[in-house]
Each structure stands twice: as C-alpha cells, then as structure tokens.
Amino acid sequence: MTQNREDYFGSAWLGVIAILFALLFIASHSNEILKQIVVAPVSAVEAGLHADCRADELEEEDLSLQECQLMLANVQIILASSPSWFRPFQIVLSSLGCLLAIASMNAGMSLVQKNKSSQFALVSFVALLLIDIVGFIAAINLGPLLRAQYLWPQIIWIAIHLSLLIPVFALTTKIGTDGVVK
C-alpha cells in the first residue's frame, strides 16, 4: 500500500512539472513563430530603413538610444544570418513543438490523475526530445551569430525533456503495460 501511494505522489508531481514545462515550451515556441512571422526578409529593416528611436518613445520605454540601436542590430543579425531554409523550418518545427507540448500537457494531467497512461507520457516526451534534437541540429548548421541565439536554449530543452523522460521511463517499467506495479 505504501509503495502504491509513493508511486502516485511521484507520478503526480511528475505530471505537475510536465504541465508547467509544457506551458513554458508552448510560450517559447509561440514566441518563435511570432518572431519568424514578424521579422520577415522583406521587412523595413532589410530595406535599409533605420529604427525610429524617438526620444519620447525611448523615455516611455525607459530605453537608451544605444539600446534601441542594439535592438535594430539584433533584427539585422536575424535577417542577415538566416539561411533561406531556416525561417520555414522554424515555423514548422515550432508549430509541431506547440502541438506536442499540448499532448505532453495531457500526459501530465493523466499522470496527476493516475490514469496509468505513463506509456502516453513516455511517447510524448520522446517526441518532444526528438523535436529538441532536430532543433539542435538545425542550430549547429547556422552561422555563428544565430547559433549563439539558438544553441543554448536547445541544449536546455534537451536537458529538461530528458529529465522528464527518465522518471517516466522508470515509472513505465515499474508499472508495466497492464497497470500492475512490478
């Protein structure tokens, strides 16, 4: 009885953590989709227009003129360093990442409710890990300026999803496919 109770609390906490990381993953990939849509190759920055760093707006946002110019440089880095395949790749990868994160939220909820569906959680975390690995491989193939922006977040997500996958794998092997604790 005590072992089942410990398994339940362990899987419940794992489910809660999975839900929280899934929400963060959705937010991260949604921001990436938005960035790829807004910073398009035909934007005003690439056309040679300069940032409108008006003093009243800088004061309102509590920014210096140099910070405004650095934000413009950041957009120029994205435009200049992005290979032609990167923008559509990121939109597709981030969209898929959002969908898989929603699936992992459902898996986390099932772990909290003790639906014995750790198999579903295992599959969803493996899928998220694969998304991270594909994103990591893409980041490695970018130029140095974009690689600096994308590589470390990919490594962190790989570590997070691997950290979720290992206890779910242990839970799956402990419970088994028939729902009986071994």
Side-chain angles (χ1 to χ4, degrees), residues 52 54 57 80 93 97 115 117 119 142-143 147 149 151 162 170:
D52 187 14
R54 295 190 319 233
E57 289 185 7
L93 188 72
N115 286 343
S117 61
Q119 297 281 343
L142 295 173
R147 190 179 322 126
Q149 291 181 11
L151 195 60
L162 197 56

Side-chain angles (χ1 to χ4, degrees), residues 118 168-176 182:
S118 58
V168 167
F169 180 73
L171 185 67
T172 302
T173 57
K174 189 174 191 179
I175 291 177
K182 296 179 181 178

Side-chain angles (χ1 to χ4, degrees), residues 87-164:
R87 184 170 178 263
F89 175 82
Q90 276 299 102
I91 291 171
V92 169
L93 188 72
S94 293
S95 299
L96 188 58
C98 287
L99 292 174
L100 289 173
I102 292 169
S104 75
M105 282 177 61
N106 289 334
M109 286 184 237
S110 67
L111 288 171
V112 169
Q113 296 171 353
K114 197 179 179 186
N115 286 343
K116 294 184 179 76
S117 61
S118 58
Q119 297 281 343
F120 178 63
L122 184 69
V123 169
S124 67
F125 294 141
V126 165
L128 284 172
L129 188 61
L130 288 174
I131 289 287
D132 298 335
I133 291 169
V134 169
F136 177 80
I137 292 169
I140 287 174
N141 290 308
L142 295 173
L145 296 174
L146 273 184
R147 190 179 322 126
Q149 291 181 11
Y150 283 95
L151 195 60
W152 282 109
Q154 287 302 133
I155 292 171
I156 291 169
W157 279 116
I158 288 172
I160 289 170
H161 289 135
L162 197 56
S163 297
L164 289 170

